[in-house]
Amino acid sequence: MHRVSLILLFIFVLTACVSQPAQSPGATTVVPDPTVAPTTSAPAPVEPTPMAAELTPAVVAAGIQQALDTYIEAYNSNNVELLRSVVDQTNAPFRRLVEERFNTFQSSSFGGMQFSAMRVLEVKARPHGFWQATINDGGFHRDILFIQAGDGRWVMSEPTEEQLGEKIKIDNEYFTLNTYEWAAEVNDVIEDMVIRARQQVIDVLGRTPDNKFNVYLRPIFGITPPVNPNSLAWYSAGSRPRNDRVDIFAPFSYAFGSYDPNVGWEGELYSTIVHELTHWAYTRAFAQEYRITDWMSEGLAEYVSNNPRRGAVSAAVRMGRIIPLVDPNGGVRPQDMDHMTTLEVDRGLAYGFAYSLVAYIVETQGGLDGFWRFAAAVRDTPGTGIEFYDKALQKAFGMTYEEFDAGWRQWLKENY
Ligand SMILES: [Zn+2]
């Protein structure tokens, strides 16, 4: 019955990053996924058909529109076979990206919602037979690459790493941007964005880490090693500070997702970079003094990047689906904010609640100083669960867990 725009999909399912556990800043980790075939053993990508020369933008747009209609039907009927019919099945990493996002959405609290049509706005030829389509997605925009399969159908796809062209390094005094020729039109824009994002983090947090870091721009999903398909960007702490890295999916790709056309992809990407650089700044300028839990880390990053995910959180509050700070029923896999990185569903939504917890502390406990008072109390408090929060909250704010929890829930109802 619900008619919602497709943007909700990405607000709800995309987690902003995979962060390093605060306890082990020493190693660069990547989440391995044994079910994924290495890209080297994947079948050859679909080659453009010989009639490629006859393709006009209007003909291509019509073919792509047909594929998008099927894609929406697949989402609305939870039909993975239908989804596969419009996705390049010869590109294993790409197929995995699209299917995992589909499955994440279908199993979320918002699975079953009905999406309205996606409309092709314009198409643009890219190298190796790809066409980049700009799509209106319920008022939001997104860019997806398509290629024509042997039987003439248009399917979503992406190039292989080899097809991305020359590797490019852009170096400045703060970081090295590692990118590809494929992303030539956005490389300078992104360099400038990272410079501004770094400054925003420093201005809000009030401390300046002194290490240079690396930024890796990924124009496609299928760059080895395999990464989490539900992330847009992530920070990895290096064994040495100069090995710190932020990986980012480039705009004009399926992995990048949708964006508000009034803000542009630049606006969406900028706040994501601020988020990741907040993890970097915490790790290099605060971690020695404090201890923070996962929700505190993600909430701080969302707070500094000013990303309340208001639509998703309001909907969840109205539906009575507030993710509790500590799940009173516990169990082997508690569904609560205290375990936000291992939630089975609604991980994207958990970022919105993490923001709200930090914003609630900032607004009611004397600004970010209140947050740091709590981070110091967390450092000095052993234990787990409600008992742990009760002690740390009493130490920092003179409040019991029950008082804090009730105050936060009341604040959510008043502010969302
Ligand atoms: Zn994060």
Side-chain angles (χ1 to χ4, degrees), residues 16-19 275-276 279 297-298 301 351:
C17 73
V18 177
S19 77
H275 176 113
E276 300 313 327
H279 290 317
S297 174
E298 298 310 334
Y351 280 74

Side-chain angles (χ1 to χ4, degrees), residues 33 53 84 110 115 268 298 324 368 397 400:
D33 185 341
R84 286 176 188 149
F110 306 98
F115 295 114
E268 305 280 345
E298 298 310 334
L368 271 176
F397 308 139
T400 63

